[in-house]
Amino acid sequence: MSSSDSAALRRTALDALHRSLGATMTDFAGWDMPLRYGSERDEHVAVRTRAGLFDLSHMGEIAVTGPQAAALLNHALVGNIASVGVGRARYTMICRADGGILDDLIVYRLAETEYLVVANASNAQVVLDALTERAAGFDAEVRDDRDAYALIAVQGPESPGILKSLTDADLDGLKYYAGLPGTVAGVPALIARTGYTGEDGFELFVKPEHAVELWQALTEAGSPVGLVPCGLSCRDTLRLEAGMPLYGHELTTSLTPFDAGLGRVVKFDKDGDFVGREALQEAADRAAAEPPRVLVGLVAEGRRVPRAGYPVVADGEVIGEVTSGAPSPTLGRPIAMAYVDAAHSAPGTAGVGVDIRGSHEPYEVVALPFYKRQK
């Protein structure tokens, strides 16, 4: 990459710190982000067994405020956002009028008329534009808050203990998919119990000028229990083991939530019309009558790693396509998520393979997720 290319990339408030830690940096959705600091396998294992620290400041934060903020979000998104209690969060999606998924989102209700929408980095502008357009006629404001936040995540079984040592916020009372304002290491933060690793953990939304101070405090508090900084590479293998979809892989504009097996996020019974309702109702009826391809897990019998786009085969026929694949540090074998024909989607289905450069490698069909933490 030329210096002019890298100069065009956006940098988080923690950029210099990542470089001082020897991070391998990569262009991710126009941001210069840490891919790994050392061994991605070691970082992955640290999150599964101890704790990991992530810079997620590339995520897209959008504030939606005003008397009709709830009504706007109910109209713009597929979920029932008006029913989310203050201090709680919800996983949802924003779809096109034809039902195609524009992005999957987490929406936090910060106050009665104040919401924080968190979009994927690659789709932040698309989501911002769609919400702005869909706000016409509503007494609500959509504001780009990407520069207002740095986002730091601490994930893994040791994360509650690490955070407790730095805050007097009621972490025990903080449920999964909830958020509360508090102070962490003297820094004002929105403390959210959400994550994308399959482990317990927290995401901390803070002002960019407080990011370095908070990162260093978390590093110090976590070092006795083995916390390590983690890059995007292990974040991907962690979410893959946890069966969590990634936009651009399991979710795209060519799929509706029903095609992705996530029809549960679409709430037809909420008040008012919403964008994509008619197309999504048709997709729901179609899925009920004739199941579309099903998202399944595949575990390799051999050592070759499947990649996104590789065909899934059975009896010489293509029956599906890999959407994500990687070596699984927890299982010790390559794994993949794939959309396959309903007839081959049952766990244990015999004769399924992945076409890896012309060679049909045998794979076992399993139910997702591959990994579930012990509560």
Side-chain angles (χ1 to χ4, degrees):
M1 187 193 302
S2 73
S3 58
S4 61
D5 288 340
S6 66
L9 295 178
R10 298 183 69 171
R11 296 185 173 195
T12 78
L14 293 162
D15 183 77
L17 197 148
H18 297 316
R19 292 167 195 281
S20 75
L21 292 171
T24 300
M25 305 297 285
T26 189
D27 174 358
F28 185 82
W31 290 81
D32 210 10
M33 297 298 293
L35 187 63
R36 70 182 75 81
Y37 298 85
S39 150
E40 55 205 50
R41 189 183 184 283
D42 290 350
E43 291 170 24
H44 179 112
V45 171
V47 176
R48 284 277 176 261
T49 58
R50 304 186 304 277
L53 194 57
F54 296 83
D55 178 9
L56 305 180
S57 303
H58 60 313
M59 300 294 280
E61 294 90 3
I62 301 162
V64 180
T65 58
Q68 290 189 299
L72 161 59
L73 289 170
N74 262 17
H75 164 70
L77 311 179
V78 301
N80 188 348
I81 308 305
S83 69
V84 177
V86 172
R88 297 306 303 262
R90 184 155 298 164
Y91 176 78
T92 187
M93 294 182 185
I94 182 167
C95 290
R96 301 192 306 196
D98 67 1
I101 303 166
L102 283 172
D103 200 14
D104 60 335
L105 311 164
I106 295 180
V107 180
Y108 298 90
R109 190 170 197 166
L110 305 182
E112 197 57 39
T113 60
E114 186 183 349
Y115 293 84
L116 179 65
V117 177
V118 181
N120 286 298
S122 54
N123 295 328
Q125 192 63 46
V126 169
V127 174
L128 178 68
D129 292 347
L131 286 174
T132 303
E133 187 184 314
R134 293 173 190 188
F138 288 92
D139 186 3
E141 183 198 351
V142 175
R143 185 177 71 239
D144 182 357
D145 262 1
R146 281 176 285 183
D147 293 335
Y149 291 102
L151 179 55
I152 294 173
V154 55
Q155 296 278 310
E158 297 286 356
S159 58
I162 293 167
L163 209 53
K164 275 179 191 171
S165 71
L166 297 173
T167 183
D168 55 8
D170 177 18
L171 297 186
D172 290 333
L174 186 65
K175 296 184 173 71
Y176 187 50
Y177 266 74
L180 85 172
T183 303
V184 182
V187 170
L190 169 64
I191 305 168
R193 199 167 206 156
T194 45
Y196 195 54
T197 61
E199 298 299 335
D200 193 9
F202 303 86
E203 296 186 332
L204 307 170
F205 295 83
V206 299
K207 288 183 175 173
E209 57 265 34
H210 294 148
V212 170
E213 179 188 346
L214 180 57
W215 180 281
Q216 289 171 334
L218 287 162
T219 298
E220 202 173 309
S223 66
V225 292
L227 172 138
V228 300
C230 293
L232 293 179
S233 187
C234 83
R235 182 170 153 86
D236 192 47
T237 51
L238 289 160
R239 70 94 197 164
L240 177 54
E241 286 185 350
M244 293 175 166
L246 176 64
Y247 196 88
H249 289 257
E250 287 73 39
L251 309 174
T252 67
T253 49
S254 64
L255 295 172
T256 72
F258 294 95
D259 298 322
L262 291 165
R264 64 181 180 275
V265 306
V266 182
K267 304 300 181 191
F268 293 114
D269 57 355
K270 62 179 173 176
D271 292 340
D273 197 13
F274 62 93
V275 177
R277 182 185 191 115
E278 200 175 311
L280 289 167
Q281 187 64 68
E282 288 172 14
D285 295 344
R286 250 194 336 269
E290 184 187 336
R293 283 185 166 180
V294 178
L295 188 64
V296 300
L298 298 174
V299 178
E301 292 181 20
R303 310 300 307 168
R304 297 186 71 185
V305 178
R307 298 297 181 192
Y310 284 10
V312 181
V313 293
D315 303 320
E317 300 288 317
V318 173
I319 57 153
E321 186 176 298
V322 170
T323 53
S324 297
S328 164
T330 305
L331 275 64
R333 291 154 79 187
I335 59 172
M337 286 202 276
Y339 282 111
V340 301
D341 293 347
H344 294 89
S345 64
T349 300
V352 173
V354 175
D355 184 339
I356 300 182
R357 299 193 187 91
S359 167
H360 289 189
E361 302 287 330
Y363 273 74
E364 181 189 356
V365 179
V366 299
L368 292 170
F370 299 97
Y371 165 85
K372 211 169 198 163
R373 73 182 167 98
Q374 304 302 307
K375 297 290 187 221

